[in-house]
């Protein structure tokens, strides 16, 4: 049985889901009016904690950005557990102006019967990240089913490809106003301009209460989770992106094998993609789950970071071991990828075109290595760069000026629209 909008037959147990589908846009913006100083806030009725089916205490909430600029919030959450205060900080994904994006944070250290979640502390920094050009299509294809999952469609309304988008949503119940925060499990590799794709969101099986409806569907293009663990007497920072959850990361004494606990509570196959900074750049990894080898793909991205990606079976759990790390800690990586420096050499020696060089400059903006407020997005055919910019590029290539000097030069020229990219 499924629920459709607006005039089709609806299951009586889920009739209230029409409210979500027909009024979802205004719901997220006006349900909770902030006071004057609360331009970034988490409503009390969209913030709570619960134990999942693995006994992991979980805190979920919804961050509302009612500014006219994009920002990156830092959320500090404290939980009182048997008179002990446990605090964690979450660096949330960038939130465009007038947009809500939910979050979920796990506390495996908590074991008490009645933990108390304290009011979250919020700080933020401004960013020039534009709104994600993905639109949820609110029509009869947005359907909530009797088993609690929802299907719908998204459209890329921009003029650039969006890679690895995800759809977040708040899950509402009958007894509790907010049950959980859920996301699509199936990976969407990319969505082209004008393309329409389907998505499916399942409620976490750890949430045993019936689902009433979903709200505040939020498209995001980055959901990586940062982690830090000790390695060879120092801090080792890494990230992962997955429909599963991983925690309790720990290196062995040699610093060559990473052990990390994980589980996928969903009855669906999902994926995991771990990102590690290189130590020598010659690492060769092996991956096991519960001491059994699993298939994986090892690759390196444009910034020089290693990626270890693999499928995660439905309802799987256990200890993941990733071996092959070299001893020691990663060196500080340059701000600008080496391939852009190679491109610069080829450009100043006329081996590649202006357009090919500007693709590297555009990459620096995409990765927010440099930024310009209110930068226009234009077609590649309109990109331009004066010939004399090669002088600064040559100085940077010959290390007569630093990475920061070169980045500041490019940022200034784009801001003044001398370079158009």
């Amino acid at each position: 049985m499924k629920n459709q909008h607006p005039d089709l037959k609806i299951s009586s147990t889920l009739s209230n889901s029409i409210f979500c589908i027909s009024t979802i846009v205004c719901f997220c913006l006006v349900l909770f009016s902030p006071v004057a100083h609360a331009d970034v806030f988490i409503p009390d009725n969209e913030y709570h904690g619960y134990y999942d089916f693995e006994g992991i205490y979980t805190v979920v909430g919804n961050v509302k950005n009612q500014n006219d600029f994009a920002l990156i919030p830092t959320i500090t959450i404290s939980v009182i557990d048997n008179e002990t205060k446990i605090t964690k900080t979450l660096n949330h994904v960038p939130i465009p102006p007038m947009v809500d994006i939910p979050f979920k944070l796990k506390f495996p250290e908590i074991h008490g019967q009645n933990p108390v979640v304290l009011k979250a502390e919020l700080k933020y920094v401004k960013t020039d990240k534009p709104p994600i050009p993905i639109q949820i299509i609110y029509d009869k294809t947005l359907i909530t089913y009797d088993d609690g999952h929802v299907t719908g469609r998204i459209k890329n309304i921009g003029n650039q490809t969006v890679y690895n988008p995800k759809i977040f949503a708040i899950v509402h119940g009958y007894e509790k106003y907010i049950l959980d925060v859920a996301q699509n499990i199936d990976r969407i590799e990319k969505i082209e301009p004008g393309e329409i794709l389907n998505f499916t969101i399942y409620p976490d099986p750890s949430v045993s209460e019936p689902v009433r409806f979903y709200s505040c569907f939020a498209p995001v293009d980055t959901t990586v989770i940062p982690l830090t663990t000790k390695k060879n007497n120092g801090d080792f920072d890494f990230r992962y992106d997955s429909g599963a959850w991983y925690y309790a990361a720990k290196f062995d004494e040699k610093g060559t094998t990473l052990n990390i606990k994980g589980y996928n509570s969903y009855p669906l196959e999902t994926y995991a993609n771990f990102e590690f900074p290189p130590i020598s750049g010659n690492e060769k990894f092996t991956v096991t789950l519960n001491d059994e080898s699993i298939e994986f793909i090892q690759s390196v991205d444009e910034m020089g970071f290693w990626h270890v990606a693999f499928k995660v079976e439905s309802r799987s759990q256990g200890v993941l071991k990733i071996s092959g790390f070299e001893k020691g800690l990663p060196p500080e990586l340059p701000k600008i990828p080496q391939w852009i420096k190679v491109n610069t050499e080829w450009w100043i020696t006329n081996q590649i075109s202006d357009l090919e060089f500007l693709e590297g400059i555009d990459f620096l903006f995409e990765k927010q290595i440099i930024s310009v407020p209110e930068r226009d997005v234009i077609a590649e055919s309109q990109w331009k760069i004066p010939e004399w910019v090669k002088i600064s590029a040559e100085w940077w290539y010959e290390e007569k000026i630093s990475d920061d000097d070169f980045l500041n030069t490019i940022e200034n020229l784009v801001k003044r629209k001398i370079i158009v990219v």
Side-chain angles (χ1 to χ4, degrees), residues 257-326:
T257 298
L258 175 68
N259 296 268
I260 186 168
K261 296 180 181 179
Y263 69 87
N264 173 23
S265 60
Y266 292 88
L268 300 167
E269 181 184 88
T270 185
Y271 69 94
N273 183 358
F274 283 80
E275 178 189 281
F276 303 115
I279 296 174
S280 71
N282 298 317
E283 292 88 344
K284 186 175 181 180
F285 299 108
T286 59
V287 182
T288 64
L289 178 64
N290 297 329
D291 294 324
E292 294 187 6
S293 296
I294 61 174
E295 293 184 5
F296 69 98
I297 296 174
Q298 178 178 339
S299 62
V300 64
D301 66 19
E302 303 98 325
M303 297 296 294
F305 285 81
W306 286 117
H307 287 257
V308 174
F310 49 88
K311 293 181 180 179
V312 181
E313 299 296 329
S314 64
R315 298 191 183 280
S316 66
Q317 59 181 304
V319 177
L320 185 74
K321 291 183 180 179
I322 302 178
S323 302
F325 292 91
E326 296 190 4

Side-chain angles (χ1 to χ4, degrees), residues 32-35 37-49 57 59-64 74-80 85-90 103 105 107 115-123:
F32 192 97
S33 300
V35 295
H37 63 276
D39 49 0
V40 181
F41 66 103
I42 302 171
D44 291 340
N45 58 357
E46 295 181 6
Y47 176 62
H48 84 110
Y57 195 72
V59 176
V60 296
N62 186 34
V63 181
K64 294 178 177 286
T74 298
I75 310 165
T76 301
I77 298 173
S78 297
V79 180
I80 303 298
K85 184 178 179 180
I86 299 173
T87 300
K88 289 193 174 187
T89 299
L90 171 67
F103 66 88
L105 188 61
F107 286 79
V116 177
V117 183
L118 303 182
K119 186 177 181 63
E121 299 177 14
L122 274 176
K123 296 181 180 179

Side-chain angles (χ1 to χ4, degrees), residues 80-327:
I80 303 298
D81 180 41
N82 293 330
E83 299 184 356
T84 299
K85 184 178 179 180
I86 299 173
T87 300
K88 289 193 174 187
T89 299
L90 171 67
N91 295 316
H92 203 20
V93 300
I95 305 180
M98 303 305 293
V99 168
D100 307 348
I101 297 184
F103 66 88
K104 181 187 289 189
L105 188 61
K106 299 282 188 177
F107 286 79
E109 309 90 342
I110 293 177
H111 303 288
Q113 292 186 351
N114 298 297
V116 177
V117 183
L118 303 182
K119 186 177 181 63
E121 299 177 14
L122 274 176
K123 296 181 180 179
Y124 66 83
V125 294
K126 292 184 179 180
T127 178
D128 68 341
K129 184 176 179 64
I132 308 302
I134 294 179
Q135 185 178 71
I136 309 296
I137 299 177
Y138 294 101
D139 62 11
K140 64 182 180 181
T141 62
L142 188 60
I143 304 168
T144 302
Y145 296 80
D146 281 347
D147 66 357
H149 82 278
V150 63
T151 59
R153 299 185 301 163
I154 56 172
K155 180 178 181 179
N156 184 345
I157 59 174
N159 55 14
Q160 290 189 334
T161 303
V162 178
Y163 293 92
N164 302 314
K166 281 196 178 69
I167 311 300
F168 282 7
I170 294 179
V171 186
H172 297 266
Y174 290 89
E175 299 298 326
K176 293 182 179 178
Y177 180 74
I178 172 173
L179 289 178
D180 196 16
V181 170
Q183 67 183 52
N184 59 302
I185 294 299
D186 294 331
R187 183 180 184 185
I188 302 174
E189 182 178 348
K190 62 181 180 179
I191 179 168
E192 303 287 356
E195 186 175 10
I196 296 176
L197 295 178
N198 297 322
F199 72 87
T200 302
I201 296 177
Y202 279 86
D204 193 320
S206 64
V207 179
S208 58
E209 295 188 30
V211 174
R212 184 184 176 198
F213 66 92
Y214 291 79
S215 76
C216 297
F217 291 88
V220 299
D221 64 352
T222 174
T223 56
V224 292
I225 298 174
L227 294 175
T228 299
T229 188
K230 293 294 182 182
K231 181 182 189 298
N232 298 129
N233 300 316
D235 289 335
F236 183 82
D237 300 320
F238 66 100
R239 311 190 304 173
Y240 78 87
D241 179 24
S242 179
W245 185 63
Y246 294 90
Y247 65 102
K250 185 179 181 180
F251 272 97
D252 63 359
E253 291 184 1
K254 295 181 179 180
T256 58
T257 298
L258 175 68
N259 296 268
I260 186 168
K261 296 180 181 179
Y263 69 87
N264 173 23
S265 60
Y266 292 88
L268 300 167
E269 181 184 88
T270 185
Y271 69 94
N273 183 358
F274 283 80
E275 178 189 281
F276 303 115
I279 296 174
S280 71
N282 298 317
E283 292 88 344
K284 186 175 181 180
F285 299 108
T286 59
V287 182
T288 64
L289 178 64
N290 297 329
D291 294 324
E292 294 187 6
S293 296
I294 61 174
E295 293 184 5
F296 69 98
I297 296 174
Q298 178 178 339
S299 62
V300 64
D301 66 19
E302 303 98 325
M303 297 296 294
F305 285 81
W306 286 117
H307 287 257
V308 174
F310 49 88
K311 293 181 180 179
V312 181
E313 299 296 329
S314 64
R315 298 191 183 280
S316 66
Q317 59 181 304
V319 177
L320 185 74
K321 291 183 180 179
I322 302 178
S323 302
F325 292 91
E326 296 190 4
K327 294 181 180 180

